[in-house]
């Protein structure tokens, strides 16, 4: 055909000119699924190496990849240690009372919150890529565990069985997190969009706040349900019964004290430590008040016994057989996703502030090993806490050594100070948790989501109302369902645009978005905006493409002209299945029957490979598959001139 005469050519390494359409047809075979999987694991653990690298160098690189502390630890100095020491001690002053409170929220004894602030931070310190994240128990994950596991086993009836299920769910959470990182499956976490997380966190914060009314009011019997209606009913029933207002007065007094110190710290950045030590100071002062006045004899509820000492092993308590393994795996998966989402969001926000890059896959791997180790040492699911990370950064942390300092400090407290916590009022733990909740409710961000994207706001609102009036699982299910619905709609009905040329250039753009672009006479250029041409969208794409082509042919014939070529720009189509191949074949047959030439522009690696395997390239003709839209249009224009000349 005459179209080839005007096509651009390239020079090969042998000095022979080669048409660029042969680049598309002569590409090597793409990597197989197995190659991609092994490559993913290799890239996660071992940084890029030269082929000549020895086994020893590869092993050292793998160690550096798994343990970033080996890389930056060589340049660690005393000045950095002083900063990390101060940050770690400040972190511990906030972490100790919060850990006890979050254990109470998770329906566990206080020491398990402290255990979770010892082992997980130590593991993360040597494996994590973030310099700032503070690891430990958090409110949302504590609520998740308690709300889901208590549906399987009631902690008040069988606390030992409940505890075993917590450790089992934590183990599964760690396995899932490590798998996400190892196989670069971080996109699974992204199914919970930013908007959904904003709504979920807001709803969870309100539910957690209502749950704390039990401790704040000193209520003995309370509902195990987490929806706001059930909690309010339980509070109204309890208030009508005899109760002790001293719990409420004590809790509210110290809640106001903590909030005032936080306000002062925000107004004066130099007093950041005031908000950090306020919870610990509240615990100390309230415990002394109860001990001196013997208020526990007059209705003030106290936490009583707290086991001290090093984390006991819980390896034998993890259950791999029995009727509840499947449920624990499901709970572990949900907790893994939520914990990763919170940790990565916290890590990335502070990394961007300090100007360094956070490796999401290595973070997932580190979190996975952290929780697997934690499940074996009497810990429940740990992750990065926004409030403690903010304190860590404000205190001047330089590296993850601050987590090690915090863990050692908490361990010392477990060894020496647990007996002193006997008289700590439960209302104080409730006030500490309540003080941390405002940071989880982001009304300003919700308003911003409404302004930018109404569909995103629907996911945000769905997650919020689902958690508030249903349960944590219902809120998550609604958020994921809305996100999936949006993805499926965009996949089933992808945008298909008609392209026009910007005058004086070889640039082709959407004619709807850029009305000043011009059509090429006799040639229709169609752009498919879908990453996967597959069974879900193949029929829609075929009908839309054929309708546009036939409508354009009718319009040109009415104007006394003719449509001779149709170019399909597949630059956005990264992959194709057999349904997509069949549709392209049907389009080609239909166009051939009405004397319109089909040209394909810029098919991706997997697409052209499958087209060759299906013999579709032979049917269309290799000379009608091009590297760019410009080349396809030039070839079609040349063919039109040749036909006009009778060639």
């Amino acid at each position: 055909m005459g179209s080839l005469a005007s096509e651009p050519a390239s020079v090969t390494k042998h000095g022979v000119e080669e048409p660029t359409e042969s680049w598309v047809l002569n590409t090597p075979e793409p990597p197989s699924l197995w190659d991609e999987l092994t490559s993913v694991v290799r890239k996660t653990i071992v940084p890029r190496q030269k082929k000549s690298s020895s086994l020893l160098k590869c092993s050292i690189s793998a160690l550096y990849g798994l343990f970033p502390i080996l890389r930056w630890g060589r340049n660690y100095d005393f000045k950095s240690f002083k900063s990390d020491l101060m940050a770690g001690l400040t972190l511990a002053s906030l972490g100790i009372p919060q850990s006890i409170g979050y254990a109470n929220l998770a329906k566990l004894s206080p020491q398990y919150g402290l255990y979770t602030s010892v082992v997980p931070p130590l593991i993360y310190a040597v494996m994590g890529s973030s310099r700032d994240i503070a690891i430990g128990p958090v409110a949302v994950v504590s609520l998740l565990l308690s709300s889901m596991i208590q549906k399987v086993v009631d902690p008040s009836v069988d606390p030992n069985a409940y505890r075993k299920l917590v450790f089992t769910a934590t183990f599964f959470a760690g396995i899932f997190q490590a798998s996400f990182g190892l196989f670069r499956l971080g996109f699974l976490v992204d199914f919970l969009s930013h908007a959904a997380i904003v709504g979920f966190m807001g709803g969870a914060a309100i539910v957690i706040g209502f749950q704390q009314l039990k401790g704040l009011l000193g209520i003995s019997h309370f509902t195990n349900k987490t929806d706001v209606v059930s909690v309010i009913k339980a509070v109204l029933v309890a208030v009508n019964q005899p109760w002790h207002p001293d719990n409420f007065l004590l809790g509210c007094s110290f809640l106001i004290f903590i909030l005032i110190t936080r306000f002062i710290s925000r107004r004066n950045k130099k007093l950041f430590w005031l908000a950090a030590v306020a919870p610990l100071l509240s615990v100390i002062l309230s415990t002394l008040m109860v001990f001196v006045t013997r208020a526990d004899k007059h209705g003030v509820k106290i936490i009583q016994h707290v086991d001290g000492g090093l984390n006991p092993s819980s390896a034998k308590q993890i259950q791999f057989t029995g009727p509840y393994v499947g449920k624990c795996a499901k709970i572990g998966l949900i907790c893994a996703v939520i914990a990763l989402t919170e940790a990565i969001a916290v890590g990335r926000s502070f990394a961007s502030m300090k100007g360094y890059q956070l490796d999401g896959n290595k973070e997932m791997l580190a979190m996975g090993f952290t929780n697997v180790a934690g499940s074996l040492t009497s810990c429940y699911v740990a992750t990065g806490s926004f409030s403690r990370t903010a304190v860590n950064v404000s205190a001047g942390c330089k590296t993850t050594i601050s987590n090690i300092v915090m863990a050692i400090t908490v361990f010392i407290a477990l060894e020496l100070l647990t007996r002193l916590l006997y008289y700590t009022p439960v209302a104080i733990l409730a006030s500490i948790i309540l003080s941390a909740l405002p940071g989880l409710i982001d009304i300003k961000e919700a308003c911003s989501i409404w302004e930018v994207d109404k569909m995103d706001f629907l996911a945000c609102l769905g997650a919020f109302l689902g958690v508030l009036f249903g349960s944590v699982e219902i809120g998550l299910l609604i958020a994921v369902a809305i996100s999936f619905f949006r993805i499926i709609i965009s996949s089933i009905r992808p945008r298909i645009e008609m392209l026009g040329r910007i005058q004086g250039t070889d640039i082709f753009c959407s004619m709807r978005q850029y009305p000043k672009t011009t059509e090429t006479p006799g040639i229709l250029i169609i752009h498919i905006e879908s990453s996967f041409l597959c069974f879900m969208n193949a029929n829609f794409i075929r009908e839309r493409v054929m309708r546009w082509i036939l409508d354009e042919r009718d319009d040109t014939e009415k104007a006394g002209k003719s449509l001779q070529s149709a170019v399909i720009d597949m630059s956005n189509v990264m992959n194709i299945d057999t349904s997509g191949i069949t549709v392209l074949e049907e389009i080609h047959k239909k166009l051939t029957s009405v004397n319109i030439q089909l040209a394909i522009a810029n098919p991706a690696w997997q697409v052209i490979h499958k087209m060759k395997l299906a013999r579709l390239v032979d049917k269309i003709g290799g000379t009608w598959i091009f590297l760019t839209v410009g080349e396809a249009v030039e070839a079609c224009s040349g063919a039109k001139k040749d036909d006009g000349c009778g060639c």
Side-chain angles (χ1 to χ4, degrees):
M1 248 185 222
S3 62
L4 293 178
S6 60
E7 287 178 4
S10 61
V11 178
T12 66
K13 62 182 179 180
H14 301 294
V16 180
E17 287 194 351
E18 181 183 17
T20 52
E21 90 273 355
S22 65
W23 288 23
V24 182
L25 298 177
N26 296 329
T27 54
E29 286 193 14
S32 65
L33 180 61
W34 174 251
D35 290 335
E36 288 184 347
L37 286 175
T38 54
S39 173
V40 157
V41 175
R42 214 166 36 243
K43 288 177 182 177
T44 303
I45 299 176
V46 186
R48 187 177 295 177
Q49 292 287 321
K50 295 180 180 178
K51 292 183 179 179
S52 58
S53 296
S54 64
L55 180 62
L56 178 60
K57 288 183 179 179
C58 288
S59 301
I60 293 172
S61 295
L63 286 174
Y64 281 154
L66 283 172
F67 305 105
I69 193 172
L70 297 176
R71 191 179 300 278
W72 56 259
R74 293 176 297 178
N75 302 318
Y76 193 69
D77 54 23
F78 184 69
K79 184 179 178 181
S80 297
F81 175 72
K82 287 196 296 183
S83 299
D84 287 335
L85 178 64
M86 180 59 67
L89 293 173
T90 308
L91 204 55
S93 68
L94 175 64
I96 289 172
Q98 276 194 351
S99 299
I100 295 171
Y102 293 152
N104 186 46
L105 182 61
K107 302 289 193 297
L108 293 168
S109 300
Q111 65 268 16
Y112 292 102
L114 295 174
Y115 293 157
T116 308
S117 292
V118 176
V119 172
L122 292 175
I123 303 297
Y124 181 83
V126 298
M127 295 191 70
S129 61
S130 171
R131 307 170 195 167
D132 309 302
I133 288 182
I135 299 296
V138 297
V140 173
V141 176
S142 301
L143 173 68
L144 266 173
L145 277 173
S146 64
S147 65
M148 290 189 287
I149 295 181
Q150 69 185 2
K151 293 178 181 178
V152 182
V153 174
D154 191 336
S156 59
V157 175
D158 194 347
N160 289 330
Y162 176 84
R163 196 161 51 245
K164 289 178 181 179
L165 295 188
V166 169
F167 296 148
T168 305
T170 301
F171 178 83
F172 279 115
I175 292 296
F176 283 123
Q177 289 173 332
S179 301
F180 292 164
L182 194 63
F183 295 105
R184 292 180 176 257
L185 299 177
F187 67 89
L188 295 174
V189 177
D190 295 332
F191 278 120
L192 278 176
S193 64
H194 170 69
I197 289 297
V198 169
F200 173 78
M201 290 292 187
I206 293 174
V207 168
I208 291 168
F210 278 114
Q211 286 281 341
Q212 297 316 299
L213 292 175
K214 176 185 178 182
L216 205 61
L217 298 175
I219 300 171
S220 299
H221 302 288
F222 204 66
T223 180
N224 285 332
K225 297 180 179 179
T226 58
D227 65 283
V228 67
V229 176
S230 299
V231 173
I232 291 175
K233 283 182 180 178
V235 171
L236 292 176
V237 169
V239 169
N240 291 326
Q241 296 175 355
W243 62 290
H244 301 281
D246 292 347
N247 292 282
F248 182 75
L249 292 173
L250 192 65
C252 285
S253 300
F254 280 98
L255 175 60
I256 293 169
F257 167 69
I258 293 171
L259 293 177
I260 289 173
T261 58
R262 184 170 298 170
F263 176 77
I264 294 171
S265 297
R266 286 177 178 173
R267 294 294 297 269
N268 188 345
K269 297 297 182 183
K270 293 182 179 179
L271 297 176
F272 70 89
W273 54 269
L274 194 59
V277 302
L280 183 61
L281 194 59
S282 299
V283 169
I284 294 171
L285 292 176
S286 62
T287 302
L288 284 173
M289 288 171 60
V290 172
F291 177 73
V292 171
T293 61
R294 304 301 297 175
D296 58 308
K297 302 292 185 182
H298 304 286
V300 174
K301 293 188 175 296
I302 57 176
I303 64 175
Q304 297 182 355
H305 181 68
V306 180
D307 289 339
L310 184 65
N311 296 35
S313 173
S314 55
K316 293 182 179 179
Q317 298 186 55
I318 297 175
Q319 299 180 339
F320 298 108
T321 57
Y324 303 134
V325 176
K327 292 181 179 179
C328 285
K330 184 194 79 171
I331 294 168
L333 177 60
I334 295 172
C335 289
V337 171
I338 294 297
L340 279 179
T341 303
E342 183 170 359
I344 292 175
V346 170
R348 282 177 177 166
S349 62
F350 284 99
S352 63
M353 286 169 53
K354 289 194 171 183
Y356 68 91
Q357 191 70 29
L358 194 71
D359 189 325
N361 291 299
K362 287 184 179 178
E363 281 297 290
M364 294 177 190
L365 203 61
M367 286 292 176
F369 279 101
T370 291
N371 282 311
V372 168
S375 68
L376 301 174
T377 53
S378 299
C379 306
Y380 69 95
V381 180
T383 188
S385 162
F386 188 86
S387 60
R388 289 197 294 276
T389 301
V391 167
N392 196 28
V393 172
S394 299
C397 76
K398 300 297 182 184
T399 66
T400 52
I401 296 296
S402 61
N403 274 281
I404 297 177
V405 173
M406 180 198 69
I408 293 172
T409 307
V410 174
F411 170 67
I412 293 171
L414 275 167
E415 287 287 351
L416 304 176
L417 305 177
T418 49
R419 292 183 181 180
L420 303 178
L421 296 173
Y422 184 90
Y423 291 99
T424 300
V426 174
I428 293 302
L429 302 181
S431 67
I432 290 170
I433 293 175
L434 285 169
S435 69
L437 297 183
L440 297 177
I441 303 173
D442 198 340
I443 298 174
K444 183 178 179 181
E445 185 63 22
C447 293
S448 176
I449 292 169
W450 166 258
E451 291 177 3
V452 174
D453 192 321
K454 302 298 186 290
M455 192 70 177
D456 255 6
F457 181 78
L458 185 61
C460 176
L461 187 64
F464 177 79
L465 295 177
V467 172
L468 208 58
F469 294 102
S471 64
V472 175
E473 303 100 296
I474 290 174
L476 285 173
L477 187 62
I478 291 173
V480 172
I482 292 173
S483 299
F484 263 109
F485 177 75
R486 186 172 187 175
I487 292 169
I488 290 170
I489 288 296
S490 62
S491 298
I492 292 176
R493 300 178 65 87
R495 288 180 60 189
I496 300 174
E497 296 286 348
M498 186 184 296
L499 303 186
R501 188 198 295 264
I502 297 177
Q503 288 186 348
T505 71
D506 202 24
I507 300 172
F508 294 84
C509 305
S510 167
M511 296 185 69
R512 285 198 301 174
Q513 185 175 357
Y514 303 99
K516 292 184 179 181
T517 55
T518 59
E519 292 186 53
T520 304
I523 303 173
L524 179 65
I525 309 166
I526 297 174
H527 176 70
I528 301 174
E529 293 190 2
S530 174
S531 61
F532 193 9
L533 205 169
C534 61
F535 65 95
M536 287 195 302
N537 55 28
N539 287 326
F540 173 81
I541 290 173
R542 177 188 57 199
E543 292 170 5
R544 182 64 62 88
V545 168
M546 288 307 304
R547 191 191 333 164
W548 275 25
I549 292 173
L550 297 178
D551 288 349
E552 182 71 13
R553 184 193 63 170
D554 294 341
D555 291 342
T556 53
E557 286 179 353
K558 288 178 183 178
K561 301 176 183 178
S562 63
L563 179 65
Q564 295 181 333
S565 304
V567 177
I568 297 181
D569 176 18
M570 300 185 68
S571 54
N572 273 19
V573 182
M574 295 295 104
N575 210 332
I576 193 169
D577 67 358
T578 52
S579 297
I581 295 285
T582 302
V583 160
L584 289 180
E585 188 173 353
E586 289 174 1
I587 292 173
H588 174 253
K589 284 181 180 178
K590 182 64 176 177
L591 294 184
T592 302
S593 68
V594 293
N595 296 319
I596 297 175
Q597 177 62 54
L598 174 65
I600 304 291
N602 197 17
W605 199 3
Q606 291 283 357
V607 175
I608 191 63
H609 177 65
K610 291 180 180 179
M611 286 174 66
K612 287 192 289 186
L613 291 177
R615 305 287 190 274
L616 183 57
V617 170
D618 297 334
K619 294 173 184 177
I620 296 175
T623 55
W624 291 104
I625 296 175
F626 301 92
L627 194 61
T628 65
V629 173
E631 292 178 13
V633 170
E634 186 179 348
C636 291
S637 299
K640 184 173 66 172
K641 290 176 184 177
D642 290 345
D643 291 342
C645 296
C647 299

